[in-house]
Amino acid sequence: DAGVIQSPRHEVTEMGQEVTLRCKPISGHNSLFWYRQTMMRGLELLIYFNNNVPIDDSGMPEDRFSAKMPNASFSTLKIQPSEPRDSAVYFCASRLGDSPSYEQYFGPGTRLTVT
Amino acid sequence: KNQVEQSPQSLIILEGKNCTLQCNYTVSPFSNLRWYKQDTGRGPVSLTIMTFSENTKSNGRYTATLDADTKQSSLHITASQLSDSASYICVVRRGAGNMLTFGGGTRLMVKP
């Protein structure tokens, strides 16, 4: 299995532009998570899907952020318009089943730089 | 307030030496605690998971302990290797849902 796949691996954009991050979870996993990691705040959970349905989006920082999961094998995290403070590494993780005791498998992350 | 504090923030040791990383938490109600290893430029990978009733769990050269009374956990690395250089993150799950509280991590560097 290729693991969780994220694209792009690196993204540099100018303030005000729209940014779309992509994630392909591990086949058969039905829970998907988006995280953001910065030096200042560490890892933060942004949103969590189960069976393609957003369950908890309380970590989404503001309306500029939106996430979708149109099917079991694809999810996007969009930032519109982007701001310099959005610069971070964004991780996607997937999990088999809905039990919190199951392990989450993380992707390699997308490093976003907003200038 | 639900918090996870890790210490030290960074650590440098010589190859072959042992080290212990600390994690103190105030998360309540406690569900489980995981230690993750995050290599530079990679996503975190789970090393161990511990529930309330577990005191010690090993994964190769990694041994995690949990004291639920004092709300402390440690990760002991035995006979360190260069490949152990990474950030180690303590994550505590609160309650029955998916509420996770992340520690700030300890950055370990193993030198030859």
Side-chain angles (χ1 to χ4, degrees):
Chain A
D1 195 321
V4 175
I5 299 173
Q6 291 187 247
S7 64
R9 292 295 311 275
H10 302 273
E11 176 81 34
V12 180
T13 190
E14 292 183 346
M15 181 175 63
Q17 297 298 306
E18 177 180 296
V19 174
T20 299
L21 312 181
R22 298 173 176 80
C23 174
K24 176 178 168 52
I26 293 173
S27 177
H29 284 193
N30 60 359
S31 294
L32 183 140
F33 304 78
W34 281 101
Y35 292 89
R36 177 172 67 177
Q37 186 177 40
T38 62
M39 289 292 292
M40 290 294 294
R41 300 170 68 93
L43 266 168
E44 302 172 280
L45 176 65
L46 300 178
I47 187 170
Y48 151 58
F49 292 87
N50 183 245
N51 291 324
N52 313 337
V53 176
I55 303 299
D56 183 356
D57 65 354
S58 58
M60 296 286 263
E62 47 196 277
D63 293 345
R64 298 184 296 107
F65 286 69
S66 63
K68 294 182 180 180
M69 192 165 186
N71 57 61
S73 59
F74 183 66
S75 176
T76 59
L77 178 67
K78 185 176 294 186
I79 308 173
Q80 165 64 12
S82 59
E83 297 182 1
R85 60 193 170 115
D86 301 331
S87 297
V89 180
Y90 290 82
F91 288 102
C92 175
S94 71
R95 184 179 70 195
L96 177 65
D98 194 32
S99 172
S101 63
Y102 292 165
E103 180 176 349
Q104 294 182 25
Y105 292 85
F106 284 77
T110 294
R111 181 174 294 277
L112 173 65
T113 302
V114 183
T115 60
Chain B
K1 186 176 181 181
N2 294 295
Q3 287 184 315
V4 177
E5 301 286 342
Q6 291 187 243
S7 61
Q9 282 191 323
S10 62
L11 182 62
I12 300 174
I13 62 173
L14 293 177
E15 186 179 12
K17 298 296 186 182
N18 303 335
C19 68
T20 300
L21 314 181
Q22 299 290 342
C23 174
N24 296 338
Y25 61 92
T26 58
V27 175
S28 181
F30 175 87
S31 179
N32 62 47
L33 182 150
R34 279 189 191 272
W35 282 94
Y36 283 90
K37 178 187 180 188
Q38 185 175 18
D39 293 314
T40 301
R42 307 285 294 274
V45 175
S46 178
L47 294 174
T48 63
I49 178 172
M50 302 187 74
T51 58
F52 186 86
S53 59
E54 296 176 301
N55 299 120
T56 303
K57 183 170 283 188
S58 293
N59 177 1
R61 293 180 297 101
Y62 301 102
T63 299
T65 66
L66 175 66
D67 186 333
D69 291 331
T70 61
K71 298 187 176 181
Q72 296 179 325
S73 176
S74 66
L75 181 68
H76 186 75
I77 304 175
T78 303
S80 62
Q81 300 176 357
L82 298 179
S83 59
D84 292 332
S85 296
S87 289
Y88 292 83
I89 302 170
C90 175
V91 184
V92 180
R93 181 177 305 282
R94 175 161 58 99
N98 288 289
M99 295 303 297
L100 301 178
T101 304
F102 291 84
T106 292
R107 184 176 296 275
L108 174 66
M109 182 178 295
V110 180
K111 289 191 169 182

